């Protein structure tokens, strides 16, 4: 199997999900009387995910992932909310994303990243931009989002989708 496939896409949880999935799939090999063999194809054998699978120490991998996320306040030590702007034209998407960026909330434990093109910058003919609200774990995200979105007019044909605690970044 192509073990690198799940590591792409800019999702901060990609390594965690990939190691869990590959470990689960590998665990299916060799059940009952038949011995099993698992082959992983990778362009990055040095990647921490591949090393964890080779060593068979998923607990150590998860501890390293947690230690890597804690200083920056990334989940589960912080909260995220993704705002994906979409419009019929790139200019409309850029303008709305820029307006949201200018109206972005500020304060202790609150940071806005972006705007930037979404990983799938054109989807079903619509141009997409993304902003990411990052907060401390103890900050209430919904009131911040409500106030922020209330400051910006969304033109007809444009949309802003909000995903609190996003699972995917596509």
């Amino acid at each position: 199997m192509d073990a690198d496939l799940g590591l792409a896409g800019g999702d901060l949880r990609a390594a965690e999900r990939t190691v869990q999935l590959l470990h689960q799939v590998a665990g299916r090999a060799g059940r009952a009387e038949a011995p099993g063999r698992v082959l992983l194809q990778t362009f990055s054998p040095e990647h921490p995910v591949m090393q964890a699978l080779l060593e068979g120490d998923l607990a150590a991998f998860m501890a390293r992932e947690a230690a890597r996320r804690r200083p920056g306040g990334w989940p589960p030590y912080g909260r995220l909310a993704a705002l994906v702007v979409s419009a019929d034209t790139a200019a409309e998407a850029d303008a709305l994303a820029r307006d949201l960026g200018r109206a972005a909330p500020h304060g202790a434990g609150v940071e806005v990243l972006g705007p930037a093109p979404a990983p799938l910058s054109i989807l079903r003919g619509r141009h997409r931009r993304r902003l990411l609200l990052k907060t401390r774990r103890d900050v209430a995200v919904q009131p911040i989002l409500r106030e922020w979105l209330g400051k910006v007019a969304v033109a007809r044909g444009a949309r802003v989708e909000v995903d609190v605690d996003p699972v995917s970044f596509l």
Side-chain angles (χ1 to χ4, degrees), residues 72-163:
W74 296 100
Y77 306 103
R79 305 235 9 233
L80 298 176
L83 280 71
V84 177
V85 170
S86 67
D88 292 328
T89 69
E92 291 170 319
D94 288 337
L96 179 52
R98 195 172 33 254
D99 290 347
L100 283 166
R102 287 185 184 125
H106 301 284
V110 175
E111 181 180 5
V112 173
L113 307 172
L120 297 174
S121 62
I122 301 176
L123 183 63
R124 292 187 287 276
R126 294 184 60 83
H127 296 264
R128 301 170 72 234
R129 306 297 179 259
R130 181 176 71 180
L131 296 100
L132 191 63
L133 174 67
K134 182 176 163 231
T135 70
R136 287 190 325 246
R137 189 89 192 135
D138 62 338
V139 173
V141 173
Q142 284 81 357
I144 292 171
L145 288 168
R146 196 173 8 265
E147 182 180 340
W148 183 14
L149 293 171
K151 293 178 181 178
V152 177
V154 178
R156 182 185 292 285
R159 278 195 303 256
V160 179
E161 296 175 29
V162 178
D163 187 1

